Amino acid sequence: ETKSTSTIDDASPPPSTTTTATLKDTRADWVLLNVGGKHFLTTRSTLSKEESFLGRLCQCEPDLKTDVDDKGAYLIDRDPNYFNVVLNYLRHGKLILETNLVEEGVLEEAEFYNIRPLIELVKEKIRERDRRKFNDVSFCSRRELLLC
């Protein structure tokens, strides 16, 4: 009497199923946003780094209702240039401004998205900038007085 043994574990799915499931899970982590007509592709984990509008928007069962465009991107009626700054902050925790953008614009967006750490960071940057301007003006005024 011979016993046949199987070398394939019946409990495990075929390799192609595992790969497909992994790809679906990976794809499910990506989120497409349409901000002011410009598309941004990012991950749920990036948008969920801080408790905010963006984190709530991309939850598996979001408590916010929003429209989507024909590509399935969440529609957000905001400035895409400033959103790029917000998104990069969420990605790496640093505030990086392009020369044509101002701190007040970033503050407006941070407040809209309710990203508390970014709000505090931008307010501090504005205070620093204003102190520098005041010190520069004060220095010039004193120098002009000395020249008189």
Side-chain angles (χ1 to χ4, degrees):
E1 179 178 7
T2 55
K3 291 184 180 179
S4 80
T5 57
S6 174
T7 57
I8 299 175
D9 182 4
D10 294 328
S12 65
S16 62
T17 306
T18 303
T19 305
T20 304
T22 304
L23 288 174
K24 284 182 183 174
D25 291 344
T26 303
R27 260 188 260 129
D29 191 44
W30 289 95
V31 178
L32 186 61
L33 305 168
N34 179 336
V35 182
K38 183 175 179 184
H39 284 97
F40 292 87
L41 185 63
T42 190
T43 61
R44 290 182 197 286
S45 57
T46 294
L47 296 177
S48 300
K49 281 188 180 173
E50 302 292 339
E51 272 189 43
S52 70
F53 166 85
L54 295 168
R56 290 175 57 206
L57 180 68
C58 69
Q59 292 173 351
C60 291
E61 294 181 24
D63 57 353
L64 295 174
K65 301 297 179 210
T66 186
D67 292 331
V68 294
D69 67 10
D70 57 344
K71 293 182 180 180
Y74 293 108
L75 287 166
I76 303 173
D77 187 22
R78 302 300 290 184
D79 186 312
N81 298 311
Y82 283 103
F83 180 76
N84 197 43
V85 175
V86 171
L87 184 57
N88 282 329
Y89 171 81
L90 291 173
R91 286 176 172 149
H92 47 71
K94 295 179 183 174
L95 176 61
I96 300 171
L97 277 179
E98 295 179 28
T99 55
N100 60 332
L101 302 177
V102 295
E103 288 89 351
E104 286 81 1
V106 177
L107 179 59
E108 186 67 30
E109 296 307 294
E111 288 174 340
F112 175 81
Y113 296 113
N114 195 30
I115 303 171
R116 304 301 310 158
L118 181 56
I119 292 168
E120 294 310 314
L121 179 60
V122 174
K123 284 182 177 180
E124 181 55 35
K125 294 285 186 188
I126 291 171
R127 284 190 291 270
E128 287 174 13
R129 181 202 63 201
D130 291 348
R131 274 194 298 269
R132 277 193 312 273
K133 280 184 181 177
F134 176 76
N135 289 337
D136 289 348
V137 168
S138 296
F139 177 76
C140 290
S141 299
R142 287 186 294 238
R143 185 169 173 245
E144 288 170 1
L145 284 174
L146 291 174
L147 292 175
C148 293

